[in-house]
Amino acid sequence: MTYKIGIDAGGTHTTAEAYDQNGNLLTKVETGQGNVNADYEEAMANIKDAIRQIQAELGPDCEKILAGIAGVSVTGEYAKISQELANTFNVPSKTITDSAIALYRALKGKDGILTIAGTGSVVNGLQNGHIIAVGGYGHLLGDEGSGYAISIAALKKALNTYDQGKTSPLTEMFTRHFNVNRMEDCNALVYRMDRPQIGKLALLVSSLANQGDSDAILVLEDQADLLAHDILMCLDRFTTPKPMDIAFTGSVLTKNEVVRKRVEADILAKYPDANFIISDGGNASGVLYDEATDYTRPLIK
Amino acid sequence: MTYKIGIDAGGTHTTAEAYDQNGNLLTKVETGQGNVNADYEEAMANIKDAIRQIQAELGPDCEKILAGIAGVSVTGEYAKISQELANTFNVPSKTITDSAIALYRALKGKDGILTIAGTGSVVNGLQNGHIIAVGGYGHLLGDEGSGYAISIAALKKALNTYDQGKTSPLTEMFTRHFNVNRMEDCNALVYRMDRPQIGKLALLVSSLANQGDSDAILVLEDQADLLAHDILMCLDRFTTPKPMDIAFTGSVLTKNEVVRKRVEADILAKYPDANFIISDGGNASGVLYDEATDYTRPLIK
């Protein structure tokens, strides 16, 4: 039986899924981190391990491998990785970013936009086979509307209140969370956290916003505006007729109603016929929607 | 001959100066980094080495040591370090932050504000012996108006232009500086730079602003507004009659006219009798202006 493999290789784990000709899921395996910019050797070992497990189960008749890999947009090693996979497994292979395979999956191969906002954020538009990327420049230079950006903006807002010699529900939330007496004392602790840990503080901000706190709501709305601005730039760059499907994925957009509703309102103000889709779950199935034939062939038969 | 020692212990080097009773500089020595948060043992070794060199030259009759030490506001080890210096050198000693000794020096012991904007930024106000600190929360959570913040804001502005599919003098400046073809390709290089290196990109932004580029001017003015906002918060917190001397130090405020003039204009709009002072050069002489007697005494005579 022939099958195709889709891979979603991200910063914490790699998911590989195999589908038959009718799009039925045959099997799914998960291995470790797959970000080739964080650790190329480790990521490639985890990606190959996932493919090997599937071949061991389903046999050699794999038709193609579409690998969506985190970090490849930074390293630029699309061709190198495609050739390495094609040669190792003797299967036509193609490497794209993890956000691109998520885009194929979210829009089922149709043109439109995928907006991801989790710990980081990025906007990817697809029109006539051409991808337009907006944002996604990482925690220092971008990631508007991400959990990380929300957390930092909320901490800055609370520090501003503290600098005025005042307290607020936001300062009280942070000092309680970090178990310190003064807002200022949160800082040293924040600088010792990694980015995903900082990003999770956004959950506290959301929870305070849901209780109606104006500072928390303002922080979320500001970040939503920045993210909507990125999506609008992508829509502006589409040629007419513009595709109007806009998919959202990532914890901030799928779980935070304040952010998603504000983003939707900002977009509808300029593009009233925009259509919003929520896409959560596995992106490896994006392989089902890539009709392109530009897969790298094995050098050794 | 009795003398007093002032120490300015910063992230790259430690300066110690000795003064006689009339405020004449007797000698000055420089050793390595003195940030106790970066490396406590190394910083203390460098600080002690500087004091030892001065005692070797001027003899044991040191009246007091005032140590302004970077990082101590994070670690909070004021008392511990004061006692350690007092015991080691058998001299009454006091530990404050490096920004506080800079404040004593800039205002010659008078009440007022010192604003530092170099790689980082912080605002310190002094009134009736009480210090009010605003900002200074580091590159992720603050440092408004610093060289680092200017560089990041300029990179974000250029990436925004790039995301619109356009170029500008700012994007051209960055791609030329990094010797890459696309604005996007600057990013991986920026993420490999350390904070002082990133902060130095602000010089390019200043130079473009001096040529009249509107994007570069906007970036500088935005950061100046944020820094002025911190200074205004400090002025707001003073009790009436408020001290009106505001000293500026650090490369951004002493060398960048666009930033300094904007900060001054913002402050004068609310406090028309503000008086601005430029303070550059050594801060160790702040020891001359500390009239307090709360120095930690040696435990061992």
Side-chain angles (χ1 to χ4, degrees), chain B residues 193-270:
Chain B
M193 292 162 76
D194 61 22
R195 286 200 291 283
Q197 285 174 324
I198 292 174
K200 279 185 190 139
L201 296 173
L203 295 173
L204 301 175
V205 182
S206 283
S207 151
L208 200 62
N210 288 337
Q211 293 161 42
D213 178 66
S214 58
D215 280 356
I217 291 172
L218 202 63
V219 163
L220 293 179
E221 289 182 344
D222 281 351
Q223 289 300 317
D225 288 346
L226 292 169
L227 187 57
H229 183 255
D230 285 355
I231 298 170
L232 287 169
M233 280 199 290
C234 189
L235 284 168
D236 289 346
R237 289 182 65 189
F238 280 151
T239 56
T240 307
K242 297 175 189 281
M244 277 296 142
D245 279 348
I246 299 168
F248 295 139
T249 193
S251 56
V252 172
L253 283 166
T254 56
K255 293 182 187 152
N256 191 313
E257 292 247 320
V258 175
V259 172
R260 194 179 69 247
K261 283 185 175 159
R262 177 81 169 200
V263 169
E264 291 181 356
D266 286 351
I267 293 167
L268 289 171
K270 186 164 182 185

Side-chain angles (χ1 to χ4, degrees), chain B residues 42-290:
Chain B
E42 187 185 62
M44 288 305 292
N46 287 329
I47 291 164
K48 288 180 185 172
D49 183 26
I51 298 169
R52 240 174 239 121
Q53 287 184 42
I54 288 182
Q55 283 203 331
E57 186 179 339
L58 300 180
D61 291 341
C62 183
E63 177 199 330
K64 67 179 182 181
I65 297 170
L66 179 65
I69 301 182
V72 69
S73 63
V74 178
T75 68
E77 298 168 311
Y78 297 94
K80 176 184 166 188
I81 296 171
S82 300
Q83 195 65 66
E84 189 171 335
L85 294 178
N87 288 346
T88 306
F89 297 103
N90 196 27
V91 172
S93 299
K94 185 164 133 186
T95 302
I96 57 180
T97 66
D98 57 337
S99 55
I101 198 167
L103 187 151
Y104 288 143
R105 190 262 180 185
L107 300 171
K108 301 193 191 313
K110 283 170 62 187
D111 283 355
I113 287 177
L114 174 66
T115 309
I116 306 176
T119 299
S121 78
V122 68
V123 174
N124 277 290
L126 179 69
Q127 186 176 33
N128 304 326
H130 179 64
I131 285 184
I132 296 170
V134 175
Y137 299 124
H139 72 297
L140 296 179
L141 299 174
D143 283 0
E144 302 80 15
S146 66
Y148 180 88
I150 289 168
S151 301
I152 293 291
L155 283 160
K156 284 186 174 181
K157 180 131 209 119
L159 286 165
N160 195 275
T161 303
Y162 174 78
D163 278 343
Q164 292 171 52
K166 298 176 188 166
T167 60
S168 68
L170 202 56
T171 64
E172 284 160 13
M173 179 194 83
F174 280 124
T175 52
R176 199 166 50 237
H177 177 76
F178 286 106
N179 197 25
V180 295
N181 291 320
R182 303 174 311 159
M183 188 58 223
E184 190 186 356
D185 297 330
C186 299
N187 291 15
L189 301 170
V190 171
Y191 278 97
R192 285 187 207 121
M193 292 162 76
D194 61 22
R195 286 200 291 283
Q197 285 174 324
I198 292 174
K200 279 185 190 139
L201 296 173
L203 295 173
L204 301 175
V205 182
S206 283
S207 151
L208 200 62
N210 288 337
Q211 293 161 42
D213 178 66
S214 58
D215 280 356
I217 291 172
L218 202 63
V219 163
L220 293 179
E221 289 182 344
D222 281 351
Q223 289 300 317
D225 288 346
L226 292 169
L227 187 57
H229 183 255
D230 285 355
I231 298 170
L232 287 169
M233 280 199 290
C234 189
L235 284 168
D236 289 346
R237 289 182 65 189
F238 280 151
T239 56
T240 307
K242 297 175 189 281
M244 277 296 142
D245 279 348
I246 299 168
F248 295 139
T249 193
S251 56
V252 172
L253 283 166
T254 56
K255 293 182 187 152
N256 191 313
E257 292 247 320
V258 175
V259 172
R260 194 179 69 247
K261 283 185 175 159
R262 177 81 169 200
V263 169
E264 291 181 356
D266 286 351
I267 293 167
L268 289 171
K270 186 164 182 185
Y271 291 97
D273 53 343
N275 175 45
F276 304 107
I277 299 160
I278 294 188
S279 169
D280 49 4
N283 294 320
S285 65
V287 67
L288 295 174
Y289 309 108
D290 179 29

Side-chain angles (χ1 to χ4, degrees), chain B residues 16-38:
Chain B
E17 293 174 353
Y19 291 89
D20 68 15
Q21 299 300 74
N22 300 317
N24 298 309
L25 180 65
L26 299 174
T27 190
K28 172 179 174 168
V29 302
E30 216 170 275
T31 60
Q33 83 90 11
N35 185 318
V36 289
N37 187 40

